[in-house]
Amino acid sequence: MENKIAIIDLGTNTFHLLVADLGEQGHRIIHQDRVAVKIGMGGINDGRITDEGASRALHALQNFKVTLAKYGVNTIIAFGTSALRSAKNGLEIIQKIKIETGIKVRIISGEEEATYIYKGVRSALKLGLQKSLIVDIGGGSVEFIICNEKVHFWKQSYEIGAQRLLERFQKHDPILPEEMEALNDFFKFSLGPLSNAIADHQPHTLIGSSGTFDTLSDIYCIRNNIQQQDTPETPFTINAFYEIFEEFKSKNRAERLQIPGMIELRVDMIVVACCLVNFILANFSFHQVRVSAYSLKEGVLASLSKV
């Protein structure tokens, strides 16, 4: 007998909904949706969710409830990440969500988030026995996992997500060289443990998990007439990253939005997110970059599936 299950990821920038049939033979995804809720906007660096952010969250979840009823969902698993994790009023928002929508949200730790991301990426890509570094850039936090297909050797979640970086560092659009320099200084200061872990484990491949990397891959595929398919791994290269990033640095929001493959969901944060990717590629030696379309919610699904 199949159990229709919904996984809701209340991210800092985006709310994701995944509906799946979960049975003894594994799972089958039957619906996915995403909404740019931006609950972290305007308050994330002050440790609060604004009234406007809370209102957008409730509206999105009420719409999700309509979808859940349509598919006859039996079980809802909803979890909050960085914005809710760090907000002084996070528990208050969760209580309001429960009262107004009936959805019970659990805040997960950064360590749990990294574990689920690893499981999601592992279910999408053949990782092999060589070590890779998974990078998942969210709006509130960034998760780094050094792993192979059998085990994750090191993982850490940093509260340096793209919404935080955008509000703290990027005051001009296009971004100024001195703003990028300030970002690089911040990364050097903040990512010491990552540098040590990379030195210890020597991962060869950088794996971008969903989000920013999805959009970069979409832009690359369109430019190179690569047929895009609904697959868990999508094409991308290190050289393509440098070319696209160079273009981002000289364009404002409206100009970035005109780039084929760019979506409004990511146009605001993608420059600071790419500054982080650029820092990683510039400071550590990676032979290739891969993109996983699976991330946190697919990792939760993989944890529930029997196969």
Side-chain angles (χ1 to χ4, degrees):
M1 181 178 177
E2 289 187 331
N3 174 34
K4 287 192 173 63
I5 187 165
I7 299 170
I8 302 175
D9 170 6
L10 287 75
T12 299
N13 185 42
T14 311
F15 282 15
H16 295 269
L17 170 64
L18 181 153
V19 180
D21 280 327
L22 190 64
E24 292 186 1
Q25 300 306 310
H27 64 260
R28 179 173 63 93
I29 297 172
I30 57 178
H31 178 80
Q32 293 196 72
D33 196 6
R34 65 187 181 195
V35 181
V37 176
K38 298 186 178 180
I39 58 168
M41 187 168 65
I44 192 163
N45 288 326
D46 299 323
R48 64 183 178 86
I49 293 167
T50 64
D51 291 343
E52 295 80 7
S55 178
R56 290 191 298 271
L58 287 166
H59 180 71
L61 292 171
Q62 284 159 352
N63 286 339
F64 282 177
K65 285 278 286 186
V66 174
T67 303
L68 301 186
K70 172 186 171 183
Y71 285 98
V73 167
N74 311 106
T75 305
I76 302 171
I77 298 173
F79 49 90
T81 55
S82 178
L84 286 166
R85 196 159 58 222
S86 63
K88 301 179 186 76
N89 60 340
L91 294 178
E92 176 188 327
I93 300 295
I94 285 173
Q95 182 64 20
K96 193 170 186 180
I97 289 170
K98 180 69 167 64
I99 292 168
E100 296 196 20
T101 71
I103 296 173
K104 184 178 180 181
V105 178
R106 181 173 74 90
I107 296 177
I108 62 173
S109 68
E111 184 171 325
E112 284 180 280
E113 192 171 353
T115 298
Y116 283 132
I117 288 164
Y118 166 64
K119 290 179 178 180
V121 171
R122 188 176 60 180
S123 68
L125 276 57
K126 293 180 179 178
L127 296 177
L129 296 179
Q130 278 202 330
K131 294 176 182 178
S132 297
L133 172 70
I134 297 171
V135 180
D136 187 290
I137 304 173
S141 64
V142 179
E143 281 67 48
F144 298 97
I145 306 104
I146 297 176
C147 62
N148 64 18
E149 66 180 20
K150 294 184 178 297
V151 65
H152 57 264
F153 302 96
W154 179 90
K155 61 184 177 182
Q156 191 156 332
S157 176
Y158 292 84
E159 298 293 329
I160 59 166
Q163 184 69 45
R164 297 181 193 273
L165 298 177
L166 178 67
E167 294 187 12
R168 182 173 174 184
F169 291 100
Q170 189 179 349
K171 308 299 182 184
H172 300 83
D173 197 18
I175 192 169
L176 298 180
E178 51 265 39
E179 291 170 338
M180 288 190 289
E181 187 176 341
L183 277 162
N184 280 331
D185 289 342
F186 175 71
F187 297 144
K188 286 177 189 175
F189 175 78
S190 303
L191 298 178
L194 173 66
S195 299
N196 294 335
I198 289 175
D200 288 343
H201 293 284
Q202 298 290 313
H204 293 282
T205 300
L206 175 66
I207 299 175
S209 170
S210 191
T212 291
F213 290 94
D214 281 343
T215 298
L216 290 169
S217 176
D218 287 345
I219 294 170
Y220 168 72
C221 288
I222 291 170
R223 289 185 174 180
N224 291 276
N225 297 311
I226 297 171
Q227 187 66 37
Q228 293 169 282
Q229 299 175 339
D230 187 18
T231 55
E233 180 172 6
T234 58
F236 198 51
T237 69
I238 292 175
N239 285 339
F241 169 77
Y242 285 126
E243 289 173 11
I244 295 168
F245 180 50
E246 197 64 32
E247 188 174 349
F248 283 169
K249 290 188 292 186
S250 64
K251 292 184 181 295
N252 62 27
R253 185 185 197 277
E255 292 166 337
R256 291 194 302 276
L257 205 49
Q258 294 304 308
I259 298 172
M262 178 62 71
I263 57 175
E264 190 159 7
L265 180 70
R266 301 210 173 93
V267 69
D268 294 309
M269 300 183 198
I270 199 160
V271 177
V272 292
C274 284
C275 286
L276 174 57
V277 178
N278 184 66
F279 174 84
I280 294 167
L281 290 175
N283 285 276
F284 309 109
S285 178
F286 289 100
H287 299 167
Q288 65 171 332
V289 59
R290 302 173 70 185
V291 176
S292 167
Y294 290 3
S295 185
L296 182 54
K297 62 188 184 300
E298 291 86 3
V300 174
L301 184 59
S303 298
L304 298 170
S305 182
K306 293 182 173 64
V307 296

